[in-house]
Amino acid sequence: MSDDSSSPTRTGVTVLDEVTERVTNLGPRASLALATVAGLILLLGVLALLGAGDTVFAVLGLMASKSTLASALRLSVPIAFAALGGIFAEKSGVINIGLEGLLIISAFGGVYATSVTGSVWLGLLGGVVASTLLALLFAVVCIEFRADQIIAGLAIWLIALGLAPFASQIVFGSKNSETVGTFPSMQAILSDSGIPVVSTVLVDLLASLAELPFFGALFEASPVVYLMFLAVAASWWTLNRTSFGRWVRASGENPRALDTAGVNVSRVRYAAVLLSGVLAGVGGAALSLSLGQFVGNGPTMVNGKGFIAIVTYLLGNYNPIGAMLSTLLFAGLDALQLSLQGQDVLAIPRPLVRTIPYVSVIIVLALFGRTRLPEAAGEHYESGEE
């Protein structure tokens, strides 16, 4: 394989072409969105022929509404961050199915840190710290003591599922915490920046763009939504354009070759798992601080988002951009079913409406779920082994 940096003829156009090729070359997942849209159009057409024209137009109206897109973006944040974390861990050879647990512990950690410090940004940091510490425990058990990664991941989930509500009961007197601060809007952040052009012209521009139908939701989103898109781009760049990314991929594909090259495989895997804890921590803290409260009843407010994240990065074939597209698909369907329940458009029981995103994901996974796992995923390796 040739080194990109050694090519003297690389230009901005060449790099752009390479990026475009990588974005579009997602295998069967590149056609996922088109196939889904085509299926929805076909379904709506059948409903129209059956005389359900009013229902069709009502559903289309909800799909094209700004509130549905806003809800989809909000629901995407914890799933996308957890999926990015899972990509780094599994690419390095460590299967981290404990993402659900990392989201749970960081959701509580974010709220607790916010209640102590009074700052949502310090609360976000607190959630990241809590998740990273739990990820460190997982890494030590799996890498140092060679535990079964699936069992260890389930243990991390169960620990968080019990620990977070218990801690909330101790600290707040209830499994559901008191209400703390939430993230300010981007317009509020820019207005308080003190920079003349930013606090006036840019704020007015965002306010104007926010009035656009449907796409206006992009310009009045929470700061963590923009952070999510930035994290996706940064993750893609790290995996494909940095030495660390090459080490991570080699650790999951051929750890012996990486060891022979003089790179400590265990350290790379530790770093990748800890990075998964950082990313999942941002997602979990963003989830609770967007609501301003930790909900610990039942499966907690996380409610399976960590497991959905695993599905999204598998659908995306370990590509951060593919995982983001898969996340938006699920979150969009989830937002749509919430709108359908609120408007009571479909004449079917609400429990069935709630299954729409999950059934859709199962169908998509069955049709497009041809993912190539890293060769050494789940296998233990110690530097110096023969």
Side-chain angles (χ1 to χ4, degrees):
M1 181 181 297
S2 61
D3 188 358
D4 292 341
S5 61
S6 64
S7 175
T9 60
R10 284 172 57 83
T11 64
V13 175
T14 304
V15 173
L16 180 60
D17 288 341
E18 290 180 4
V19 173
T20 303
E21 181 182 357
R22 285 181 178 273
V23 172
T24 55
N25 187 24
L26 300 176
R29 291 148 194 86
S31 60
L32 177 60
L34 291 177
T36 303
V37 171
L40 288 173
I41 292 174
L42 178 61
L43 176 61
L44 294 174
V46 171
L47 291 174
L49 291 175
L50 294 176
D54 292 340
T55 301
V56 170
F57 287 119
V59 172
L60 286 174
L62 289 176
M63 291 175 63
S65 68
K66 188 169 73 171
S67 61
T68 299
L69 178 58
S71 180
L73 292 173
R74 176 177 54 82
L75 293 170
S76 295
V77 172
I79 300 174
F81 274 106
L84 293 176
I87 289 173
F88 276 98
E90 199 154 329
K91 273 282 194 181
S92 74
V94 180
I95 301 175
N96 186 1
I97 68 168
L99 296 173
E100 180 85 357
L102 299 182
L103 288 177
I104 293 172
I105 201 69
S106 59
F108 169 75
V111 169
Y112 174 69
T114 301
S115 69
V116 172
T117 64
S119 168
V120 291
W121 302 112
L122 291 177
L124 181 66
L125 179 61
V128 170
V129 170
S131 175
T132 305
L133 289 175
L134 194 58
L136 176 61
L137 173 63
F138 172 74
V140 170
V141 169
C142 291
I143 300 173
E144 191 71 24
F145 296 101
R146 298 182 166 223
D148 184 281
Q149 294 173 7
I150 304 299
I151 295 176
L154 289 174
I156 289 297
W157 167 45
L158 293 174
I159 288 172
L161 185 62
L163 179 59
F166 175 74
S168 181
Q169 183 75 48
I170 296 298
V171 175
F172 299 108
S174 171
K175 290 183 179 179
N176 300 339
S177 75
E178 62 186 27
T179 301
V180 297
T182 59
F183 292 108
S185 66
M186 279 300 299
Q187 294 185 22
I189 294 175
L190 295 175
S191 297
D192 297 337
S193 66
I195 304 174
V197 176
V198 172
S199 61
T200 54
V201 177
L202 190 54
V203 170
D204 292 339
L205 178 61
L206 285 178
S208 299
L209 293 174
E211 298 298 324
L212 294 173
F214 189 67
F215 293 106
L218 289 168
F219 302 99
E220 57 183 12
S222 168
V224 291
V225 172
Y226 301 110
L227 185 60
M228 172 184 67
F229 289 120
L230 180 62
V232 170
S235 297
W236 180 90
W237 180 267
T238 300
L239 283 171
N240 295 283
R241 287 290 185 269
T242 66
S243 297
F244 175 71
R246 290 193 290 271
W247 294 343
V248 168
R249 299 200 311 270
S251 176
E253 296 291 346
N254 194 339
R256 182 171 299 175
L258 182 64
D259 190 18
T260 303
V263 179
N264 189 298
V265 175
S266 294
R267 289 182 181 178
V268 172
R269 291 185 171 182
Y270 267 113
V273 174
L274 290 177
L275 184 56
S276 76
V278 171
L279 290 166
V282 175
L287 173 64
S288 60
L289 293 177
S290 294
L291 180 64
Q293 181 186 26
F294 172 74
V295 179
N297 290 330
T300 75
M301 65 191 308
V302 175
N303 196 24
K305 291 179 176 60
F307 297 113
I308 292 295
I310 296 174
V311 175
T312 60
Y313 74 68
L314 291 177
L315 283 175
N317 201 19
Y318 301 98
N319 185 318
I321 298 175
M324 181 74 254
L325 295 176
S326 302
T327 297
L328 289 174
L329 170 64
F330 175 82
L333 291 170
D334 199 14
L336 179 60
Q337 68 88 10
L338 291 174
S339 299
L340 289 174
Q341 289 189 70
Q343 299 292 328
D344 201 17
V345 173
L346 300 179
I348 59 177
R350 291 190 175 185
L352 288 180
V353 176
R354 285 196 290 268
T355 65
I356 289 176
Y358 302 97
V359 172
S360 301
V361 166
I362 291 173
I363 294 173
V364 169
L365 186 60
L367 295 176
F368 300 96
R370 293 171 177 83
T371 302
R372 193 190 74 81
L373 296 174
E375 290 291 336
E379 297 180 4
H380 300 291
Y381 183 85
E382 184 176 347
S383 295
E385 282 187 349
E386 295 296 332

